[in-house]
Amino acid sequence: MKTNSTYSPARLLRLQRSLSPGGGLNLRRVIPFGALFLILCLVGAYFVFPAGAIPVQEAQDAANPDYREFPVIGSRTIVWVVAQLHLMFAAFVLAVPMFALIIEIIGYVTKDERYDHLAYEFVKLLSVSFSFTAALGAMLTFLLLILYPSLMQYMVKIFSWTFLPYVALFFLEAIFLYSYYYGWGKFSPKVHIGLGVMLNIVGTAIMFIADAWLTFMNTPNGITETGELVSLWGAVNNFIWMPINIHRIIANVAFGGSIAAAYGAYKYLGAKTAEDKAHYDWMGYVGNFVAISAFLPLPFAGYYLGKEIYAYSQSLGITLMGGTFSWLFIVQAILIGNLFLAANYYLWVSMERIDGAERFRKYIKYLLGAITISFIVWATPHSLVASVEEARAMGGSHHPILGVLGVMSAKNTAVNVLILTTYISFLLYRRGNKEATVPWAKMGMNIQLGIFVLVTLFVIFLGIYGYFVEASVRIGLSVPQVLSVLFAMISITFIDVLLFKNAKKTGEIRWGEIGNRAQYALFFIAITFAWTMGLMGYVRAGMRQHWHVYGVIEDTSVDAFTPTIGYAAIVVSITVFIFFVFIATVFWLTGLTNKEPWKPKEERNKSVEAAG
Amino acid sequence: MNLLVILAIIAAWIGLRFLKANSLAWAAGIWVGLYVGLSYGINPPLPSSILSMFMAIITLALVTYLTAGNDRMKEMADTIVTFVVDKRYTGALIGVLIALPLLVSFKVYLNMTQAPEPPISGRTIHPVPPNTITVNGSPFNIVEGHNPYRELESSDPDAFALHLENGRRVYYQNCVFCHGDNMEGDGQFAHGLDPIPANFQDATTIAMLQESYLYWRVAKGGPGLPSESTPWLSAMPAWENFLTEEEMWDVIMFLYDYTGQRPRVSEEVH
Amino acid sequence: MKTLATLLTLLYFVAPSAAQNVDLGTDAQREAGRLMYNAKCSHCHGARGAGDGAATAFLRPAPRDFTTGTFKFRTTENGELPTDEDIRRSIRQGMPYTGMPPWPQLSEQEVDNLMYYIKTFSDFFSGPFAEVTALDMPSPPSITDESIVRGREVFLENSCIDCHGNLGRGDGPSGPTLTDQWDIPIRAADLTKRWTFRGGSTRSDIYRTFTTGLDGSPMPAFDIQPIEDQWALVNYVHSLSRDEADYSTYATSVFTTAAIDPSAGADAFSAAPEAFFAMVGQVIEPGRSFFPGVNGLAVRAMHNADHIGIMLQWNDMSADTDGINGPGLEVPIWPNDTDTTQAFSDAVAIQFPSGDGSGGGLPYLLFGDVSNSVDLWFADLSTPRADHYVGNGSGNLTASGMDYETSASYEDGQWTVIIKRDRTLDGQITFEDAAFAPVLFSVWDGFSRERGNRRGLTSWTYLYLEPAETESPLGPMAMYGLITLLLGLGATTLIRRKYSNVSA
Amino acid sequence: MTNVLKIFVFVICVLAFYAYVGQMVPQKITYPPTSTDFVGDMTPLELAAAGEEIMSGKGTCLTCHTIGSPGDGLRFPDLGGIGGRAGAQIAGMSAVDYLAESLYDPNAFVVEGFLPGMPAVSNPPINLSDNEILAVIAHLQSLGSQPTVTLDTELQWQSEEGSAPSAPTVAPGEPLDGPGVFTNYACSTCHAIDDATRLVGPSLYDAGSRLSKAEIYEAVMDPDATIAEGYPGAAMAAMLNASGFYQNVSTEELKSLVDYLASKTGQ
């Protein structure tokens, strides 16, 4: 397939944006802000590439250098930071409509007005945050065009035909978004929900297209050895395209939920009235519920992704898990362990405001024990850092006990136990103020307990059994582990729903009476999510090592080396910090809608006096 | 496992139970108990880097526990406040205020006077192989290549047995000095090598690798390692200088056969 | 020395015929033993038990030939067959510092099966002399200073020094000539390294060894009377070495204000701690050394403001100062090394990375590599100096013509070599205070015909230079203590102010 | 406002903690594999190391030559110890010159007992640059003696500008005919086409009578599927790869080539 020489810089723009570790972007506020930036980009791109001369033959034109240098921090770092920021906003604006819609539907089904208000409140966050997304996207585009011209030319050569549907979807997205947002309460609920569904479908499709571009860079496909395009569908449907799509949808929801929960926490801490407190307490809870629910299946999606990377190339797989980046996954384990711990912590503190939940308090220490042990197992590295003396005492850099904990069997088991434990915390929270009234209540609970115990034992058994079978079998064992955990969660939930159908309420949930520390736990979860995303962005881009497009376009710039984890950690921390400054601005702007209308000073004084 | 230490810790915990200690005391007791247990209860001892990581996680968990419940939180706060404010405990408070700085000073003293540590080599045990290598002049693709004799295992067991027997000879004439008679990395020269030779009985060595990976390691040895695996330290010879390709494959098959492991096979491509 | 054959002839008339109590195991046991033997033992001891397996040429001492019925480690009379328990013990414990490993992972039954199968290799086990009784092995009395002093006398009275040397370093005058029953050269044990004793390192093991002798080797059984003298000898031998090898991870050089003078000898280094490094054969590149002559090296080092001196000591049964040696000499592949016309001298080398070592990694341990060279301080002990070589790999050694101030002496089976250098030298490593300099040692034993790539060597290890003055910990201690105190006081004040109403 | 401040401090603390965790693990920068950059001050030894890579890689030398294991039935001389012998092969010619001639003009002197047929490595398809050839010479010297050449060594065969001859160019648009493809991709370096001479590869003057079109096609596209007895494997695929044949040849050109070869029936 020959390159279409009449490419439009607008396509390039989106292409570049997709190359960030983010991808799924939703320019929702196209009309007021985004359109302006788009136009700027179009104009800018024409100036950056005079003559628009991107026929592929002339890609190596001497007038276009392969790289340009960004001052002080270097090209890579600036693109890295901007791309990461862009990704975080994109993830947020993609995810919020998803759970807003779900909440809206819940509201519609249960006829509970509260849910509808909450959904609208979430959607309000969108309006500002995606103009940030657009701004960052434009910035990223400019940077990539300026700093990595020849790489961008290659990407255009491969993906030119994916730009048309992208543009089309983009307009649809804008239309659905604004009709969904501005049309709140102005359509019949069914029509409005339909708009929401369409909004999500279009948003997801946009992300899928964008994902194709960036996954292609990791696992190029559908091209000849010299990089000529053979099959566009092959290039799109490369090895990790679908895994990344799935992983991103889920992770976006988790991330969006955690940010929304942080918003609730922020408002809660500032709330003056009991009513406000109750509302924002509830909002934080719902956001966190969404985040953690989406978070639970995430390790499975990650496993699928890792498997496909191995399938594509053993070298990439080993680079990722065993070589250069193996320590990164220890850091990741610490982050995710923290997430589990904080999520459970939030639930436990929340239970304090449920009358009747005291009876479950005694279980906390066992849950905590299980979490701690799993956390420790998961964070135990395979290659230990040990001094010569210690290594000699161990008989090498391999510890007989830690070595057992350092391999995949143990880690898989730990993750599954973590998931189960968190699920149990949820369950306890859920039945905090309820007492089952069905006649088979006792038996039902025993069955639940039985399933839980059996599955836990089964998961642990498989983990141990994994040490006694050959590796190919061991890899397969993770599947029954995952399935049994899923089975436990589904079946126990099913029984639970029946059990508590007409449950007797033993007490109220005293919304708004939660300790402030729970709100900080929500912040902690949001920060940790954002940081984990940043770290994973680093590894996803970093595993290509000295390639722009793995095995096809080599990175010959000064930044071809892979920086240390320590350096990445600092960049990620700074990026996340900037993100939170931005998101704080978003919170503040969103909060303006509830502000009293401006009045001249005298009037305000008067009203104060009147009140006094 | 050092049973005595563990028993002592459990005894101390039972003691706490009998004393009806409050949750703050429990947390301290558990922290100290786990610290002692992890430091002295496990043989061989854990590396200090791991120990501090474990203790950090445990600390986090204990803080979580203490603050998760309102009444526990209050109990903790009350205990601390009472201790600090109540006149009855003034003496003890002064003691603690003096003891803590002394402990810190002592720790500083220990840190500054301990024997110097030679540089640690954080070597990668299983580095990424190159895609292709040239063994004695013939190229071999590690990604797609496979053991040309493995198929004999099913197609011609007798020929396979001969290969194994040849592998045994090769092993005991070349490899046994470091990797040991029982392939546990404890040959007669192992004590003088750093890093120590690989233990093939361990489930995390050859069992999780493909035969082509082993072929790379055998053919190219220490000098063929990438820099993150400290090729200058490894005493693994580049066996292509001594052995034929067939001998190298044979000895690889013998390793798997003797240890009862199976090589990892490449996974299905979707 | 009595051999089994002569003994058998003698015993033929006195021994009771066809022992009934000999346990040869069942067919099933022997069959199980055979399978186990073929899987785990035959590559060294040979398929027919004749000590002629595939690996035999690479092992010294050579693997036991089971067909002759001669066993070293027994609790029975000299020349007799071992008891079942002796065979079990040898399998179970192995022989340290030889190719025979311990087999702790085998079950009792498996060891028994092996023992029964091993017995089938020799007719003696089913013959008239198969029934043996273990000698009484008394448990050792406590060690006293007197017994050690007496032990030294017993040691001299029984001519132990003929083979084991004056201080037990295996350097007796007849040491180099010793061969075993099959004319394979064999060495007297180095009694200063108890951890290398083939038969075990406990006092009971030593007692057993000299009371029953090591059949097939030149070590006879000694019948020393009274029994107190037996234990005196055991205690003396025991006192010659520490319990364990205690290999070091690095050597420490201590600061001195005195001048470094190699000719002053070992005494000048007594203030420096000894680092003891394991030395193993170079089995990586062609010219492989499967039985290095030296298995351990003691290192001490001292430095002043300008110079550093490194002292190396190792035990060697003979000082080989005739002949030549060099790090780049050609070595034929074992066992083709048959030309013995050229004699080789003892030699030692200290290897440091060239330059400042900023290349990100060390040079390759075997004399460096093409891109990272090493500096070799090579002392051929037939000459009184140490030469500087630049190594770019085993095949690429270049003598620069420079040499280092050196002294070498040999006394009572121990070489002492001291080499001195300026702490700063252009193009070579700079020895800085409180820094770890990577270092690797090689020793060539001329008697074992080691040269070039055939040698004993250590791994890369480190030399640490203690700074002249160590920073006093008092300042930081006071500072951190004070900060903690202030923090504590601050917290106390805050809490007290906030909750003062509680104190009632 | 204090709340905002508290949250701000909290965020900073958590981020600092994670940044700290990132510093606690082993830090390693992974550099891209060093490509053989020829810098002026490379020592002969460094040059030799680079040469070793070239010989097994781009130079495809080891598809035909062995190093240190003669008698494997390969068609070209074993190169073990060549550095020691090189100076004595032709009277009056230094070792460096002899090696250089063997690389630039290999058939000027052919070792007794071997057939001519080695391609000049400075030309397509192998196409080594002058510097790369110097590196190869350095490595060959190191086999048996000390390398002496550096990048400053001048050889009479070196091209004026010191640049490598350009790679085969395919005229855009115009597909080549069969003989054109044969010439353009330098097939004649290894295969005779007009007579039965055995070069590196078998003569093709009777290809049409020995092989069907399908077999010829396979022999071109997958040379190692069937290797004529007595010829080295892997060489052709490597060379065709190096010359860009597989990347550039069009279906049409391939068809003409097969037709052309099939027309060669030995008469």
Side-chain angles (χ1 to χ4, degrees), chain A residues 162-355:
Chain A
T162 59
F163 301 148
L164 280 182
Y166 190 83
V167 175
L169 286 170
F170 211 79
F171 279 106
L172 283 178
E173 171 82 356
I175 293 163
F176 283 124
L177 174 80
Y178 284 95
S179 55
Y180 186 66
Y181 175 43
Y182 290 121
W184 203 281
K186 291 171 184 153
F187 296 107
S188 88
K190 279 184 189 163
V191 172
H192 192 256
I193 287 173
L195 286 174
V197 170
M198 289 311 292
L199 170 62
N200 278 301
I201 291 175
V202 173
T204 308
I206 288 178
M207 188 187 78
F208 275 29
I209 295 179
D211 278 351
W213 304 330
L214 71 106
T215 54
F216 174 82
M217 291 175 73
N218 271 21
T219 59
N221 194 19
I223 51 170
T224 64
E225 280 182 20
T226 47
E228 302 295 322
L229 186 65
V230 176
S231 146
L232 181 61
W233 172 240
V236 169
N237 185 24
N238 59 60
F239 276 67
I240 61 168
W241 180 56
M242 214 14 106
I244 284 264
N245 287 337
I246 294 170
H247 196 278
R248 281 214 162 144
I249 291 176
I250 303 173
N252 285 353
V253 174
F255 177 70
S258 74
I259 298 295
Y263 177 67
Y266 161 74
K267 299 291 275 186
Y268 177 91
L269 291 178
K272 301 278 187 292
T273 64
E275 195 185 8
D276 273 1
K277 271 186 183 287
H279 176 70
Y280 289 116
D281 181 8
W282 184 63
M283 184 176 186
Y285 166 74
V286 174
N288 188 51
F289 180 83
V290 171
I292 301 305
S293 309
F295 174 58
L296 289 187
L298 208 49
F300 307 143
Y303 177 74
Y304 173 39
L305 173 58
K307 186 172 176 300
E308 288 297 303
I309 290 172
Y310 260 99
Y312 176 75
S313 153
Q314 177 175 264
S315 294
L316 262 189
I318 294 184
T319 304
L320 199 61
M321 304 304 300
T324 322
F325 292 111
S326 56
W327 275 99
L328 181 135
F329 283 89
I330 297 304
V331 177
Q332 191 216 24
I334 291 172
L335 289 162
I336 294 183
N338 277 343
L339 276 179
F340 273 111
L341 202 56
N344 281 284
Y345 178 70
Y346 178 79
L347 286 173
W348 298 333
V349 178
S350 301
M351 277 160 74
E352 295 292 320
R353 61 159 145 67
I354 304 179
D355 293 326

Side-chain angles (χ1 to χ4, degrees), chain C residues 31-219:
Chain C
E31 177 59 17
R34 187 180 69 84
L35 294 175
M36 176 69 75
Y37 179 90
N38 286 344
K40 299 203 185 275
C41 316
S42 62
H43 21 263
C44 296
H45 292 288
R48 305 260 27 98
D52 56 354
T56 299
F58 303 90
L59 299 172
R60 194 172 289 172
R64 182 90 335 218
D65 174 353
F66 296 127
T67 60
T68 63
T70 306
F71 288 81
K72 272 182 174 173
F73 305 109
R74 310 166 330 281
T75 52
T76 58
E77 288 282 0
N78 197 3
E80 284 193 359
L81 291 170
T83 65
D84 291 358
E85 191 49 40
D86 291 337
I87 301 180
R88 285 195 200 102
R89 188 181 55 242
S90 291
I91 296 173
R92 190 63 83 190
Q93 297 182 349
M95 323 265 154
Y97 289 77
T98 75
M100 176 72 186
W103 294 94
Q105 67 273 40
L106 298 184
S107 69
E108 292 296 326
Q109 287 76 22
E110 286 170 327
V111 172
D112 280 356
N113 296 342
L114 274 178
M115 177 197 67
Y116 292 132
Y117 184 60
I118 286 168
K119 286 183 174 187
T120 65
F121 289 127
S122 167
D123 291 341
F124 293 115
F125 283 105
S126 54
F129 311 107
E131 191 179 358
V132 289
T133 26
L135 297 173
D136 187 31
M137 291 290 151
S139 52
S142 57
I143 304 176
T144 61
D145 289 345
E146 293 77 35
S147 75
I148 292 175
V149 173
R150 171 67 193 140
R152 169 75 189 171
E153 290 165 12
V154 179
F155 188 73
L156 296 173
E157 284 163 12
N158 287 281
S159 305
C160 300
I161 64 167
D162 285 357
C163 297
H164 292 288
N166 183 30
L167 296 179
R169 289 173 181 148
D171 59 321
S174 56
T177 64
L178 297 176
T179 59
D180 68 7
Q181 186 181 321
W182 299 273
D183 284 338
I184 300 173
I186 195 169
R187 295 192 168 188
D190 181 344
L191 300 181
T192 64
K193 293 173 184 159
R194 199 192 313 155
W195 55 88
T196 67
F197 289 179
R198 317 292 194 228
S201 58
T202 65
R203 287 197 290 147
S204 299
D205 291 327
I206 299 169
Y207 179 88
R208 185 187 66 240
T209 298
F210 86 82
T211 49
T212 67
L214 301 183
D215 283 359
S217 86
M219 174 75 188

